Amino acid sequence: MYSQAKVIAGGLAHIPVVIAVFYFILTTFNKRALKFVEEAKTKKPEAKPVEPKKVAVSKIEAPKTEAPKTEAPKTEAPKVVKKKHADVPVNIYRPKTPYEGTVLENYSLLKEGAIGRVNHITFDLKDSDPFLNYVEGQSIGIMPAGEDANGKPHKLRLYSIASTRHGDDFKGNTVSLCVRQLQYEKDGETINGVCSTYLCDIKPGDKVKITGPVGKEMLLPEEEDANIVMLATGTGIAPMRAYLRRMFEASEKEKNNWNFKGKAWLFMGAPKSANLLYEEDLQRYLTDYPDNFKYTKAISREQQNTKGGRMYIQDRVLESANELFNMIENEKTHIYLCGLKGMEPGIDEAMTKAAEEKGLNWSELRPQLKKAGRWHVETY
Ligand code: FAD
Ligand code: A2P
């Protein structure tokens, strides 16, 4: 009896121990389980943003950051690359609203015994608003007074500017022209050109309608060590006079801050010695700058070419073929052609022969020079 009661009592006595063990196991498990859950909770938010960030950088941001690197030069290029001669003024005055300039002087450039009429004419620009500025090698338009046969105002005619941007008096507010009066015979009658006669006849104080400036074909290169070959007939010397003043005229050089160091070679065609234009100035430049200036004349009615015909500038080009083409082979050399349209085939022929003597092909070379902006032509 006693031992049965003891066993029962002993068994009952273990119940709290078993409960305690169960409780311990349960709470320990719960804590671990809770801790695991907590850990899982805190880890998840960290893990999630990592991936989206990676995706965002590679898929969205990467193209954004790379695109400007490759596209930037394409879009910015036009801003950086300035159009050639973009600063050169054009069409400040147009035919509907021309500037009325005052004639300051108008005098003959010819000597006793010369053929025809060629005048140097200067206009005052100081009252122009906007100011009519220009650079060497440009032209202006002149609208002659009066009406044509149909009762309409005369159309403008272009004239090459013969002065530098600083003007003949270096004050920077005049423009000068070199004008030959057009005269020809028709049915036994002498016909005078409308505008050239008007210009040769105007007097100081007269008002003249001026347009422009125009033209970018005959501009000088900026390089101080460029070589400039000039082929001119008659009034074709107008732009060349401006170039030569810019290169060699003392007061002009003080103003222009451009110290020409290259070689300038003028081939000049005139019918008679008395028709040579600006001759005293050119002789002065020869004396002052013997190493930089060369002057070759073709006086058609006083000199003969090798065939016994009139001496033209193309004959002089042939005589100097070797020296001329040595210069042309130098990429710093520019060639300017101005004056009679009729001289173009003759010049081309002479250049072809001159090039052949140097083993060169002028029909290939000329377009190359033109493309390089070294062959400048303005004929009329
Ligand atoms: P118009 O009265 O216009 O008569 C000319 C017309 O007469 C011709 O179109 C033709 O139909 C006819 N004609 C001409 N000659 C003959 C002939 N022998 N036989 C029959 N008919 C004929 N000129 C200069 O003096 N100096 C310059 O610096 C100068 N620069 C110029 C620059 C450029 C860019 C250009 C395009 C021309 C330049 N000229 C220059 C020429 C100028 O523009 C005029 O053409 C020229 O002065 C004649 O104009 P006009 O009004 O006197 O003649
Ligand atoms: P010419 O008239 O004796 O035949 P200007 O304008 O003062 O008359 O000068 C033009 C010069 O150009 C003149 O010596 C003239 O000669 C000359 N000339 C005329 N035709 C040509 C031509 N086709 N090629 C080159 N020079 C020419």
Side-chain angles (χ1 to χ4, degrees), residues 110 115-118 180 232-236 268-272 275-277 298-302 310-315 339-347 380:
L110 304 182
I115 298 166
R117 256 176 116 188
V118 182
R180 162 175 276 286
T233 54
T235 54
M268 177 66 202
K272 295 175 84 177
N275 281 81
L276 287 168
L277 307 171
I299 311 199
S300 57
R301 304 197 193 177
E302 292 175 7
R310 287 180 178 179
M311 176 64 85
Y312 287 159
I313 51 171
Q314 49 267 42
D315 301 310
L340 294 175
K341 204 168 204 61
M343 75 169 145
E344 278 190 64
I347 293 288
Y380 41 86

Side-chain angles (χ1 to χ4, degrees), residues 75-317:
T75 51
E76 283 171 18
K79 284 180 204 161
V80 179
V81 180
K82 220 167 86 178
K83 211 178 153 198
K84 209 178 175 196
H85 306 309
D87 299 339
V88 174
V90 282
N91 291 318
I92 300 171
Y93 287 90
R94 292 174 186 272
K96 278 189 181 160
T97 51
Y99 168 63
E100 290 224 337
T102 307
V103 180
L104 291 176
E105 53 181 358
N106 187 356
Y107 58 85
S108 172
L109 287 167
L110 304 182
K111 301 274 185 315
E112 186 86 28
I115 298 166
R117 256 176 116 188
V118 182
N119 281 18
H120 185 79
I121 310 161
T122 302
F123 303 97
D124 195 349
L125 299 174
K126 73 173 183 304
D127 295 330
S128 58
D129 184 15
F131 186 66
L132 200 166
N133 60 317
Y134 61 88
V135 299
E136 301 75 21
Q138 291 195 285
S139 299
I140 53 168
I142 299 291
M143 300 174 74
E147 294 170 343
D148 64 18
N150 301 320
K152 291 192 171 162
H154 286 299
K155 290 197 168 62
L156 70 83
R157 270 74 164 175
L158 291 175
Y159 293 89
S160 308
I161 296 173
S163 49
T164 73
R165 68 193 77 181
H166 300 110
D168 289 352
D169 61 1
F170 313 107
K171 289 185 180 152
N173 52 25
T174 63
V175 64
S176 301
L177 304 178
C178 170
V179 179
R180 162 175 276 286
Q181 182 189 23
L182 173 69
Q183 275 196 322
Y184 59 91
E185 301 295 320
K186 195 178 173 189
D187 305 328
E189 205 190 329
T190 301
I191 310 285
N192 293 327
V194 172
C195 193
S196 58
T197 303
Y198 163 76
L199 283 171
C200 287
D201 285 346
I202 50 174
K203 303 274 176 288
D206 287 353
K207 295 277 186 191
V208 172
K209 288 179 180 158
I210 301 172
T211 65
V214 293
K216 294 188 177 185
E217 170 66 22
M218 298 289 282
L219 305 179
L220 277 178
E222 281 171 16
E223 292 79 18
E224 293 180 337
D225 60 350
N227 300 310
I228 308 296
V229 175
M230 295 160 275
L231 308 170
T233 54
T235 54
I237 198 169
M240 282 61 165
R241 184 215 183 223
Y243 306 158
L244 293 166
R245 281 176 76 83
R246 186 162 167 77
M247 293 166 185
F248 304 128
E249 199 61 58
S251 306
E252 174 64 29
K253 280 164 72 77
E254 272 171 33
K255 285 253 169 205
N256 66 23
N257 200 25
W258 191 66
N259 187 21
F260 180 69
K261 299 187 191 85
K263 189 162 190 169
W265 191 352
L266 171 66
F267 290 82
M268 177 66 202
K272 295 175 84 177
S273 302
N275 281 81
L276 287 168
L277 307 171
Y278 307 108
E279 181 67 7
E280 289 76 18
D281 291 339
L282 301 180
Q283 292 301 330
R284 190 158 43 83
Y285 302 151
L286 274 177
T287 308
D288 294 349
Y289 294 93
D291 297 334
N292 301 88
F293 183 41
K294 194 165 173 161
Y295 179 28
T296 304
K297 299 175 228 182
I299 311 199
S300 57
R301 304 197 193 177
E302 292 175 7
Q303 300 169 333
Q304 285 191 336
N305 62 20
T306 49
K307 291 179 193 153
R310 287 180 178 179
M311 176 64 85
Y312 287 159
I313 51 171
Q314 49 267 42
D315 301 310
R316 294 295 188 202
V317 162

Side-chain angles (χ1 to χ4, degrees), residues 39-102:
E39 275 178 4
K41 268 186 192 171
T42 50
K43 270 181 190 169
K44 267 184 190 170
E46 271 176 39
K48 266 187 185 171
V50 171
E51 270 197 307
K53 262 188 196 167
K54 277 184 190 166
V55 171
V57 169
S58 61
K59 283 191 183 170
I60 301 164
E61 289 181 9
K64 268 188 195 165
T65 52
E66 277 173 22
K69 275 184 201 162
T70 51
E71 283 174 13
K74 278 185 204 159
T75 51
E76 283 171 18
K79 284 180 204 161
V80 179
V81 180
K82 220 167 86 178
K83 211 178 153 198
K84 209 178 175 196
H85 306 309
D87 299 339
V88 174
V90 282
N91 291 318
I92 300 171
Y93 287 90
R94 292 174 186 272
K96 278 189 181 160
T97 51
Y99 168 63
E100 290 224 337
T102 307

